Amino acid sequence: MAPRKTATVSSRKTAAKPAAKASNGGPVADFDRNEELKAYREMLLIRRFEEKAGQLYGMGFIGGFCHLYIGQEAVVVGMQMAQKEGDQVITAYRDHGHMLATGMEARGVMAELTGRRSGYSHGKGGSMHMFSKEKHFYGGHGIVGAQVSLGTGLAFANRYRGNDNVSIAYFGDGAANQGQVYESFNMAALWKLPIVYIVENNRYAMGTSTARATAQSNYSLRGSGFGIPGIQVDGMDVRAVKAAADEALEHCRSGKGPIILEMLTYRYRGHSMSDPAKYRSKDEVQKMRSEHDPIEQVKARLVEKGWASEDDLKAIDKDVRDIVADSADFAQADPEPDASELYTDILL
Ligand SMILES: Cc1ncc(C[n+]2csc(CCOP(=O)(O)OP(=O)(O)O)c2C)c(N)n1
Ligand SMILES: [Mg+2]
């Protein structure tokens, strides 16, 4: 692998202080005020959206499965900040954050969650099956690991067409043990496909901890048998994610083939809405929330550097809450699909 680029910190600003590092010692991007504000707003939008989705689920407005992304927001937001127009995103069922990060509308996502006509899949896909060709978001997949093969196919298409787009395939620590992941790694390495494989290591696959289920828990090493380089990233620090994303995307765009980013992250809520959470202690969750929360980290920097006052932050919070409330009102007022739509938009 090419030598790691260090954090893009200008020497002028850091002459007196050592360069900032992520909690695992990795590099972090040197965000300016606008980038910090953007990261804050985008992560907050995902968090508030997910909280609202949880509420609507409890009230019976959302049926079926619903997997919340709360706690993991820095991963998709940091990645998206490094992507360029045309890069594709594909993920599993914990997907609402990925959709919002790609710029899909909160209204369309909420309407889909509630099974309404204006949803991204016309109310017939639900939480796990939403797509937006316009935003290059390819789903939303409920079969654990399947999106890794599909994402590899997207990378193959980029290579075949000779464009410089990169496919970004997200999967969990549990999915990382699926066989098709390694078949995909083999092909991607052989054909030098432009794909960033992102393992969102949130420490659990449903109720099973990585310690109980996995022989090699350093997922950044999982491509070593195929010569695929990997980086372990503090996935709770959006600047660390952005720094790793810049490096990974450059690696792919320069024709060096696939790369793995293992994002060390944590989900605060249960696996899905029906999770009694008996497999971990409340203290463990509380410790992550109070010491590593991705949104609080940005907020603290914004305040410390004098880049945002409490009032500025409140204004952003209000703006975000308005978008989310509007999406919920819109979804509830939107009609369900007509019965005549039962066999449209599907493959028979
Ligand atoms: C092929 C397949 N096997 C099993 C399941 C059931 N299942 C759904 S989610 C899940 C756990 C996956 O965990 P992980 O990949 O870590 O993702 P996370 O939920 O933590 O985001 C399992 C086993 C499934 N949907 N598909
Ligand atoms: Mg997991």
Side-chain angles (χ1 to χ4, degrees), residues 194-227:
I195 180 161
V196 184
Y197 291 112
I198 299 196
V199 185
E200 292 200 64
N201 179 2
N202 61 12
R203 303 196 201 169
Y204 295 92
M206 301 184 89
T208 307
S209 70
T210 53
R212 286 175 59 211
T214 199
Q216 172 50 272
S217 57
N218 183 335
Y219 295 91
S220 70
L221 300 177
R222 289 292 185 97
S224 56
F226 307 93

PDB file of all heavy atoms in Angstrom, residues 194-227:
ATOM      1  N   PRO A 194     -12.367  -0.740  -8.339  1.00  0.00           N
ATOM      2  CA  PRO A 194     -12.380   0.443  -7.471  1.00  0.00           C
ATOM      3  C   PRO A 194     -13.491   0.356  -6.419  1.00  0.00           C
ATOM      4  O   PRO A 194     -14.605   0.825  -6.627  1.00  0.00           O
ATOM      5  CB  PRO A 194     -12.636   1.596  -8.451  1.00  0.00           C
ATOM      6  CG  PRO A 194     -13.422   0.966  -9.574  1.00  0.00           C
ATOM      7  CD  PRO A 194     -12.977  -0.470  -9.672  1.00  0.00           C
ATOM      8  N   ILE A 195     -13.180  -0.262  -5.303  1.00  0.00           N
ATOM      9  CA  ILE A 195     -14.192  -0.403  -4.251  1.00  0.00           C
ATOM     10  C   ILE A 195     -13.575  -0.220  -2.874  1.00  0.00           C
ATOM     11  O   ILE A 195     -12.482  -0.723  -2.600  1.00  0.00           O
ATOM     12  CB  ILE A 195     -14.922  -1.770  -4.357  1.00  0.00           C
ATOM     13  CG1 ILE A 195     -15.978  -1.907  -3.243  1.00  0.00           C
ATOM     14  CG2 ILE A 195     -13.957  -2.958  -4.342  1.00  0.00           C
ATOM     15  CD1 ILE A 195     -17.028  -2.962  -3.500  1.00  0.00           C
ATOM     16  N   VAL A 196     -14.280   0.547  -2.042  1.00  0.00           N
ATOM     17  CA  VAL A 196     -13.900   0.662  -0.635  1.00  0.00           C
ATOM     18  C   VAL A 196     -14.857  -0.241   0.140  1.00  0.00           C
ATOM     19  O   VAL A 196     -16.068  -0.040   0.112  1.00  0.00           O
ATOM     20  CB  VAL A 196     -14.022   2.119  -0.114  1.00  0.00           C
ATOM     21  CG1 VAL A 196     -13.510   2.191   1.326  1.00  0.00           C
ATOM     22  CG2 VAL A 196     -13.269   3.097  -1.000  1.00  0.00           C
ATOM     23  N   TYR A 197     -14.298  -1.261   0.776  1.00  0.00           N
ATOM     24  CA  TYR A 197     -15.092  -2.135   1.636  1.00  0.00           C
ATOM     25  C   TYR A 197     -15.057  -1.545   3.036  1.00  0.00           C
ATOM     26  O   TYR A 197     -13.976  -1.388   3.616  1.00  0.00           O
ATOM     27  CB  TYR A 197     -14.494  -3.539   1.662  1.00  0.00           C
ATOM     28  CG  TYR A 197     -14.610  -4.293   0.357  1.00  0.00           C
ATOM     29  CD1 TYR A 197     -13.486  -4.589  -0.405  1.00  0.00           C
ATOM     30  CD2 TYR A 197     -15.859  -4.724  -0.109  1.00  0.00           C
ATOM     31  CE1 TYR A 197     -13.591  -5.296  -1.605  1.00  0.00           C
ATOM     32  CE2 TYR A 197     -15.971  -5.418  -1.307  1.00  0.00           C
ATOM     33  CZ  TYR A 197     -14.845  -5.707  -2.042  1.00  0.00           C
ATOM     34  OH  TYR A 197     -14.956  -6.404  -3.225  1.00  0.00           O
ATOM     35  N   ILE A 198     -16.228  -1.245   3.554  1.00  0.00           N
ATOM     36  CA  ILE A 198     -16.265  -0.644   4.893  1.00  0.00           C
ATOM     37  C   ILE A 198     -16.911  -1.597   5.880  1.00  0.00           C
ATOM     38  O   ILE A 198     -18.099  -1.912   5.773  1.00  0.00           O
ATOM     39  CB  ILE A 198     -17.056   0.670   4.869  1.00  0.00           C
ATOM     40  CG1 ILE A 198     -16.344   1.617   3.916  1.00  0.00           C
ATOM     41  CG2 ILE A 198     -17.169   1.257   6.286  1.00  0.00           C
ATOM     42  CD1 ILE A 198     -16.713   3.020   4.018  1.00  0.00           C
ATOM     43  N   VAL A 199     -16.124  -2.054   6.824  1.00  0.00           N
ATOM     44  CA  VAL A 199     -16.681  -2.893   7.890  1.00  0.00           C
ATOM     45  C   VAL A 199     -17.100  -1.946   9.012  1.00  0.00           C
ATOM     46  O   VAL A 199     -16.257  -1.301   9.634  1.00  0.00           O
ATOM     47  CB  VAL A 199     -15.650  -3.903   8.439  1.00  0.00           C
ATOM     48  CG1 VAL A 199     -16.328  -4.832   9.450  1.00  0.00           C
ATOM     49  CG2 VAL A 199     -15.006  -4.701   7.323  1.00  0.00           C
ATOM     50  N   GLU A 200     -18.397  -1.864   9.251  1.00  0.00           N
ATOM     51  CA  GLU A 200     -18.874  -1.064  10.385  1.00  0.00           C
ATOM     52  C   GLU A 200     -18.864  -1.990  11.597  1.00  0.00           C
ATOM     53  O   GLU A 200     -19.835  -2.705  11.853  1.00  0.00           O
ATOM     54  CB  GLU A 200     -20.269  -0.509  10.107  1.00  0.00           C
ATOM     55  CG  GLU A 200     -20.262   0.525   8.992  1.00  0.00           C
ATOM     56  CD  GLU A 200     -21.492   1.430   9.003  1.00  0.00           C
ATOM     57  OE1 GLU A 200     -21.683   2.175   9.962  1.00  0.00           O
ATOM     58  OE2 GLU A 200     -22.249   1.374   8.029  1.00  0.00           O
ATOM     59  N   ASN A 201     -17.742  -1.974  12.294  1.00  0.00           N
ATOM     60  CA  ASN A 201     -17.601  -2.859  13.455  1.00  0.00           C
ATOM     61  C   ASN A 201     -18.222  -2.188  14.680  1.00  0.00           C
ATOM     62  O   ASN A 201     -17.569  -1.418  15.386  1.00  0.00           O
ATOM     63  CB  ASN A 201     -16.112  -3.164  13.689  1.00  0.00           C
ATOM     64  CG  ASN A 201     -15.907  -4.061  14.905  1.00  0.00           C
ATOM     65  OD1 ASN A 201     -16.872  -4.488  15.550  1.00  0.00           O
ATOM     66  ND2 ASN A 201     -14.658  -4.339  15.221  1.00  0.00           N
ATOM     67  N   ASN A 202     -19.509  -2.509  14.903  1.00  0.00           N
ATOM     68  CA  ASN A 202     -20.209  -1.945  16.064  1.00  0.00           C
ATOM     69  C   ASN A 202     -20.229  -2.942  17.226  1.00  0.00           C
ATOM     70  O   ASN A 202     -21.001  -2.813  18.156  1.00  0.00           O
ATOM     71  CB  ASN A 202     -21.621  -1.486  15.684  1.00  0.00           C
ATOM     72  CG  ASN A 202     -22.488  -2.627  15.164  1.00  0.00           C
ATOM     73  OD1 ASN A 202     -22.137  -3.800  15.281  1.00  0.00           O
ATOM     74  ND2 ASN A 202     -23.629  -2.290  14.594  1.00  0.00           N
ATOM     75  N   ARG A 203     -19.368  -3.947  17.129  1.00  0.00           N
ATOM     76  CA  ARG A 203     -19.110  -4.934  18.194  1.00  0.00           C
ATOM     77  C   ARG A 203     -20.150  -6.033  18.359  1.00  0.00           C
ATOM     78  O   ARG A 203     -19.932  -6.981  19.108  1.00  0.00           O
ATOM     79  CB  ARG A 203     -18.912  -4.259  19.557  1.00  0.00           C
ATOM     80  CG  ARG A 203     -17.802  -3.251  19.556  1.00  0.00           C
ATOM     81  CD  ARG A 203     -17.437  -2.953  20.986  1.00  0.00           C
ATOM     82  NE  ARG A 203     -16.748  -1.693  21.096  1.00  0.00           N
ATOM     83  CZ  ARG A 203     -16.490  -1.091  22.244  1.00  0.00           C
ATOM     84  NH1 ARG A 203     -16.889  -1.650  23.377  1.00  0.00           N
ATOM     85  NH2 ARG A 203     -15.854   0.042  22.275  1.00  0.00           N
ATOM     86  N   TYR A 204     -21.294  -5.907  17.693  1.00  0.00           N
ATOM     87  CA  TYR A 204     -22.335  -6.929  17.856  1.00  0.00           C
ATOM     88  C   TYR A 204     -22.991  -7.273  16.523  1.00  0.00           C
ATOM     89  O   TYR A 204     -23.186  -6.403  15.671  1.00  0.00           O
ATOM     90  CB  TYR A 204     -23.427  -6.445  18.820  1.00  0.00           C
ATOM     91  CG  TYR A 204     -22.908  -6.249  20.224  1.00  0.00           C
ATOM     92  CD1 TYR A 204     -22.442  -5.002  20.624  1.00  0.00           C
ATOM     93  CD2 TYR A 204     -22.836  -7.314  21.116  1.00  0.00           C
ATOM     94  CE1 TYR A 204     -21.917  -4.818  21.899  1.00  0.00           C
ATOM     95  CE2 TYR A 204     -22.315  -7.132  22.386  1.00  0.00           C
ATOM     96  CZ  TYR A 204     -21.858  -5.890  22.771  1.00  0.00           C
ATOM     97  OH  TYR A 204     -21.340  -5.725  24.031  1.00  0.00           O
ATOM     98  N   ALA A 205     -23.326  -8.537  16.363  1.00  0.00           N
ATOM     99  CA  ALA A 205     -24.182  -8.973  15.272  1.00  0.00           C
ATOM    100  C   ALA A 205     -25.441  -9.503  15.955  1.00  0.00           C
ATOM    101  O   ALA A 205     -25.383 -10.537  16.631  1.00  0.00           O
ATOM    102  CB  ALA A 205     -23.510 -10.065  14.455  1.00  0.00           C
ATOM    103  N   MET A 206     -26.518  -8.807  15.859  1.00  0.00           N
ATOM    104  CA  MET A 206     -27.704  -9.018  16.686  1.00  0.00           C
ATOM    105  C   MET A 206     -27.233  -9.029  18.140  1.00  0.00           C
ATOM    106  O   MET A 206     -26.681  -8.045  18.594  1.00  0.00           O
ATOM    107  CB  MET A 206     -28.453 -10.288  16.268  1.00  0.00           C
ATOM    108  CG  MET A 206     -28.897 -10.213  14.797  1.00  0.00           C
ATOM    109  SD  MET A 206     -29.883 -11.584  14.212  1.00  0.00           S
ATOM    110  CE  MET A 206     -31.514 -11.042  14.611  1.00  0.00           C
ATOM    111  N   GLY A 207     -27.362 -10.148  18.844  1.00  0.00           N
ATOM    112  CA  GLY A 207     -26.929 -10.170  20.243  1.00  0.00           C
ATOM    113  C   GLY A 207     -25.579 -10.839  20.452  1.00  0.00           C
ATOM    114  O   GLY A 207     -25.194 -11.115  21.589  1.00  0.00           O
ATOM    115  N   THR A 208     -24.855 -11.124  19.368  1.00  0.00           N
ATOM    116  CA  THR A 208     -23.596 -11.861  19.496  1.00  0.00           C
ATOM    117  C   THR A 208     -22.406 -10.912  19.377  1.00  0.00           C
ATOM    118  O   THR A 208     -22.238 -10.240  18.356  1.00  0.00           O
ATOM    119  CB  THR A 208     -23.507 -12.947  18.400  1.00  0.00           C
ATOM    120  OG1 THR A 208     -24.685 -13.747  18.460  1.00  0.00           O
ATOM    121  CG2 THR A 208     -22.300 -13.836  18.613  1.00  0.00           C
ATOM    122  N   SER A 209     -21.584 -10.880  20.418  1.00  0.00           N
ATOM    123  CA  SER A 209     -20.436  -9.969  20.385  1.00  0.00           C
ATOM    124  C   SER A 209     -19.359 -10.528  19.469  1.00  0.00           C
ATOM    125  O   SER A 209     -19.271 -11.741  19.258  1.00  0.00           O
ATOM    126  CB  SER A 209     -19.877  -9.774  21.791  1.00  0.00           C
ATOM    127  OG  SER A 209     -19.258 -10.972  22.214  1.00  0.00           O
ATOM    128  N   THR A 210     -18.525  -9.651  18.945  1.00  0.00           N
ATOM    129  CA  THR A 210     -17.442 -10.107  18.064  1.00  0.00           C
ATOM    130  C   THR A 210     -16.530 -11.078  18.822  1.00  0.00           C
ATOM    131  O   THR A 210     -16.019 -12.032  18.246  1.00  0.00           O
ATOM    132  CB  THR A 210     -16.606  -8.912  17.560  1.00  0.00           C
ATOM    133  OG1 THR A 210     -16.194  -8.151  18.687  1.00  0.00           O
ATOM    134  CG2 THR A 210     -17.383  -8.033  16.617  1.00  0.00           C
ATOM    135  N   ALA A 211     -16.366 -10.843  20.130  1.00  0.00           N
ATOM    136  CA  ALA A 211     -15.479 -11.716  20.915  1.00  0.00           C
ATOM    137  C   ALA A 211     -15.963 -13.167  20.884  1.00  0.00           C
ATOM    138  O   ALA A 211     -15.161 -14.101  20.899  1.00  0.00           O
ATOM    139  CB  ALA A 211     -15.427 -11.220  22.357  1.00  0.00           C
ATOM    140  N   ARG A 212     -17.279 -13.362  20.821  1.00  0.00           N
ATOM    141  CA  ARG A 212     -17.839 -14.719  20.818  1.00  0.00           C
ATOM    142  C   ARG A 212     -17.879 -15.330  19.426  1.00  0.00           C
ATOM    143  O   ARG A 212     -17.972 -16.553  19.289  1.00  0.00           O
ATOM    144  CB  ARG A 212     -19.268 -14.693  21.370  1.00  0.00           C
ATOM    145  CG  ARG A 212     -19.343 -14.498  22.868  1.00  0.00           C
ATOM    146  CD  ARG A 212     -20.789 -14.368  23.310  1.00  0.00           C
ATOM    147  NE  ARG A 212     -21.590 -15.546  22.967  1.00  0.00           N
ATOM    148  CZ  ARG A 212     -22.888 -15.518  22.686  1.00  0.00           C
ATOM    149  NH1 ARG A 212     -23.535 -14.369  22.678  1.00  0.00           N
ATOM    150  NH2 ARG A 212     -23.531 -16.614  22.394  1.00  0.00           N
ATOM    151  N   ALA A 213     -17.845 -14.491  18.390  1.00  0.00           N
ATOM    152  CA  ALA A 213     -18.172 -15.017  17.060  1.00  0.00           C
ATOM    153  C   ALA A 213     -17.055 -14.979  16.032  1.00  0.00           C
ATOM    154  O   ALA A 213     -17.201 -15.547  14.960  1.00  0.00           O
ATOM    155  CB  ALA A 213     -19.370 -14.239  16.500  1.00  0.00           C
ATOM    156  N   THR A 214     -15.963 -14.329  16.354  1.00  0.00           N
ATOM    157  CA  THR A 214     -15.009 -14.128  15.270  1.00  0.00           C
ATOM    158  C   THR A 214     -13.572 -14.485  15.665  1.00  0.00           C
ATOM    159  O   THR A 214     -13.133 -14.173  16.766  1.00  0.00           O
ATOM    160  CB  THR A 214     -15.111 -12.670  14.751  1.00  0.00           C
ATOM    161  OG1 THR A 214     -14.532 -12.598  13.468  1.00  0.00           O
ATOM    162  CG2 THR A 214     -14.430 -11.673  15.648  1.00  0.00           C
ATOM    163  N   ALA A 215     -12.882 -15.188  14.761  1.00  0.00           N
ATOM    164  CA  ALA A 215     -11.525 -15.652  15.060  1.00  0.00           C
ATOM    165  C   ALA A 215     -10.503 -14.527  14.887  1.00  0.00           C
ATOM    166  O   ALA A 215      -9.528 -14.464  15.619  1.00  0.00           O
ATOM    167  CB  ALA A 215     -11.165 -16.825  14.143  1.00  0.00           C
ATOM    168  N   GLN A 216     -10.739 -13.649  13.930  1.00  0.00           N
ATOM    169  CA  GLN A 216      -9.823 -12.509  13.719  1.00  0.00           C
ATOM    170  C   GLN A 216     -10.653 -11.246  13.842  1.00  0.00           C
ATOM    171  O   GLN A 216     -11.387 -10.885  12.920  1.00  0.00           O
ATOM    172  CB  GLN A 216      -9.182 -12.594  12.329  1.00  0.00           C
ATOM    173  CG  GLN A 216      -8.354 -11.379  11.921  1.00  0.00           C
ATOM    174  CD  GLN A 216      -7.337 -10.929  12.947  1.00  0.00           C
ATOM    175  OE1 GLN A 216      -7.636 -10.128  13.843  1.00  0.00           O
ATOM    176  NE2 GLN A 216      -6.119 -11.463  12.848  1.00  0.00           N
ATOM    177  N   SER A 217     -10.562 -10.599  15.002  1.00  0.00           N
ATOM    178  CA  SER A 217     -11.446  -9.453  15.231  1.00  0.00           C
ATOM    179  C   SER A 217     -10.850  -8.141  14.725  1.00  0.00           C
ATOM    180  O   SER A 217     -11.485  -7.099  14.839  1.00  0.00           O
ATOM    181  CB  SER A 217     -11.815  -9.351  16.706  1.00  0.00           C
ATOM    182  OG  SER A 217     -10.634  -9.255  17.460  1.00  0.00           O
ATOM    183  N   ASN A 218      -9.641  -8.190  14.173  1.00  0.00           N
ATOM    184  CA  ASN A 218      -9.123  -7.001  13.481  1.00  0.00           C
ATOM    185  C   ASN A 218      -9.563  -7.125  12.020  1.00  0.00           C
ATOM    186  O   ASN A 218      -8.906  -7.744  11.199  1.00  0.00           O
ATOM    187  CB  ASN A 218      -7.602  -6.928  13.588  1.00  0.00           C
ATOM    188  CG  ASN A 218      -7.053  -5.667  12.934  1.00  0.00           C
ATOM    189  OD1 ASN A 218      -7.683  -5.104  12.038  1.00  0.00           O
ATOM    190  ND2 ASN A 218      -5.896  -5.232  13.377  1.00  0.00           N
ATOM    191  N   TYR A 219     -10.683  -6.504  11.722  1.00  0.00           N
ATOM    192  CA  TYR A 219     -11.285  -6.684  10.393  1.00  0.00           C
ATOM    193  C   TYR A 219     -10.498  -5.986   9.288  1.00  0.00           C
ATOM    194  O   TYR A 219     -10.685  -6.297   8.117  1.00  0.00           O
ATOM    195  CB  TYR A 219     -12.741  -6.193  10.407  1.00  0.00           C
ATOM    196  CG  TYR A 219     -13.623  -7.021  11.305  1.00  0.00           C
ATOM    197  CD1 TYR A 219     -13.796  -6.677  12.642  1.00  0.00           C
ATOM    198  CD2 TYR A 219     -14.254  -8.156  10.832  1.00  0.00           C
ATOM    199  CE1 TYR A 219     -14.589  -7.442  13.484  1.00  0.00           C
ATOM    200  CE2 TYR A 219     -15.051  -8.930  11.662  1.00  0.00           C
ATOM    201  CZ  TYR A 219     -15.208  -8.565  12.988  1.00  0.00           C
ATOM    202  OH  TYR A 219     -15.985  -9.330  13.803  1.00  0.00           O
ATOM    203  N   SER A 220      -9.629  -5.064   9.667  1.00  0.00           N
ATOM    204  CA  SER A 220      -8.829  -4.398   8.629  1.00  0.00           C
ATOM    205  C   SER A 220      -7.834  -5.378   8.004  1.00  0.00           C
ATOM    206  O   SER A 220      -7.318  -5.131   6.918  1.00  0.00           O
ATOM    207  CB  SER A 220      -8.093  -3.178   9.196  1.00  0.00           C
ATOM    208  OG  SER A 220      -7.063  -3.587  10.080  1.00  0.00           O
ATOM    209  N   LEU A 221      -7.605  -6.507   8.685  1.00  0.00           N
ATOM    210  CA  LEU A 221      -6.657  -7.507   8.158  1.00  0.00           C
ATOM    211  C   LEU A 221      -7.347  -8.559   7.290  1.00  0.00           C
ATOM    212  O   LEU A 221      -6.683  -9.440   6.740  1.00  0.00           O
ATOM    213  CB  LEU A 221      -5.969  -8.241   9.325  1.00  0.00           C
ATOM    214  CG  LEU A 221      -5.166  -7.391  10.308  1.00  0.00           C
ATOM    215  CD1 LEU A 221      -4.620  -8.261  11.432  1.00  0.00           C
ATOM    216  CD2 LEU A 221      -4.025  -6.689   9.574  1.00  0.00           C
ATOM    217  N   ARG A 222      -8.671  -8.473   7.186  1.00  0.00           N
ATOM    218  CA  ARG A 222      -9.410  -9.551   6.528  1.00  0.00           C
ATOM    219  C   ARG A 222      -9.107  -9.708   5.035  1.00  0.00           C
ATOM    220  O   ARG A 222      -9.451 -10.699   4.422  1.00  0.00           O
ATOM    221  CB  ARG A 222     -10.917  -9.344   6.722  1.00  0.00           C
ATOM    222  CG  ARG A 222     -11.402  -9.598   8.134  1.00  0.00           C
ATOM    223  CD  ARG A 222     -11.287 -11.065   8.475  1.00  0.00           C
ATOM    224  NE  ARG A 222     -11.849 -11.363   9.776  1.00  0.00           N
ATOM    225  CZ  ARG A 222     -13.082 -11.822   9.975  1.00  0.00           C
ATOM    226  NH1 ARG A 222     -13.885 -12.017   8.967  1.00  0.00           N
ATOM    227  NH2 ARG A 222     -13.502 -12.080  11.196  1.00  0.00           N
ATOM    228  N   GLY A 223      -8.485  -8.702   4.430  1.00  0.00           N
ATOM    229  CA  GLY A 223      -8.170  -8.819   2.996  1.00  0.00           C
ATOM    230  C   GLY A 223      -6.741  -9.257   2.751  1.00  0.00           C
ATOM    231  O   GLY A 223      -6.314  -9.373   1.589  1.00  0.00           O
ATOM    232  N   SER A 224      -5.990  -9.523   3.823  1.00  0.00           N
ATOM    233  CA  SER A 224      -4.543  -9.740   3.648  1.00  0.00           C
ATOM    234  C   SER A 224      -4.240 -10.946   2.762  1.00  0.00           C
ATOM    235  O   SER A 224      -3.268 -10.928   2.007  1.00  0.00           O
ATOM    236  CB  SER A 224      -3.833  -9.851   4.998  1.00  0.00           C
ATOM    237  OG  SER A 224      -4.426 -10.864   5.753  1.00  0.00           O
ATOM    238  N   GLY A 225      -5.079 -11.976   2.821  1.00  0.00           N
ATOM    239  CA  GLY A 225      -4.850 -13.150   1.974  1.00  0.00           C
ATOM    240  C   GLY A 225      -4.997 -12.852   0.483  1.00  0.00           C
ATOM    241  O   GLY A 225      -4.564 -13.636  -0.362  1.00  0.00           O
ATOM    242  N   PHE A 226      -5.621 -11.716   0.192  1.00  0.00           N
ATOM    243  CA  PHE A 226      -5.835 -11.328  -1.211  1.00  0.00           C
ATOM    244  C   PHE A 226      -4.969 -10.130  -1.593  1.00  0.00           C
ATOM    245  O   PHE A 226      -5.087  -9.590  -2.685  1.00  0.00           O
ATOM    246  CB  PHE A 226      -7.312 -10.959  -1.436  1.00  0.00           C
ATOM    247  CG  PHE A 226      -8.262 -12.030  -0.991  1.00  0.00           C
ATOM    248  CD1 PHE A 226      -8.805 -11.996   0.289  1.00  0.00           C
ATOM    249  CD2 PHE A 226      -8.594 -13.079  -1.830  1.00  0.00           C
ATOM    250  CE1 PHE A 226      -9.670 -12.999   0.710  1.00  0.00           C
ATOM    251  CE2 PHE A 226      -9.461 -14.075  -1.406  1.00  0.00           C
ATOM    252  CZ  PHE A 226      -9.990 -14.040  -0.128  1.00  0.00           C
ATOM    253  N   GLY A 227      -4.152  -9.684  -0.659  1.00  0.00           N
ATOM    254  CA  GLY A 227      -3.325  -8.501  -0.911  1.00  0.00           C
ATOM    255  C   GLY A 227      -4.113  -7.206  -0.869  1.00  0.00           C
ATOM    256  O   GLY A 227      -3.705  -6.204  -1.445  1.00  0.00           O
TER     257      GLY A 227
END
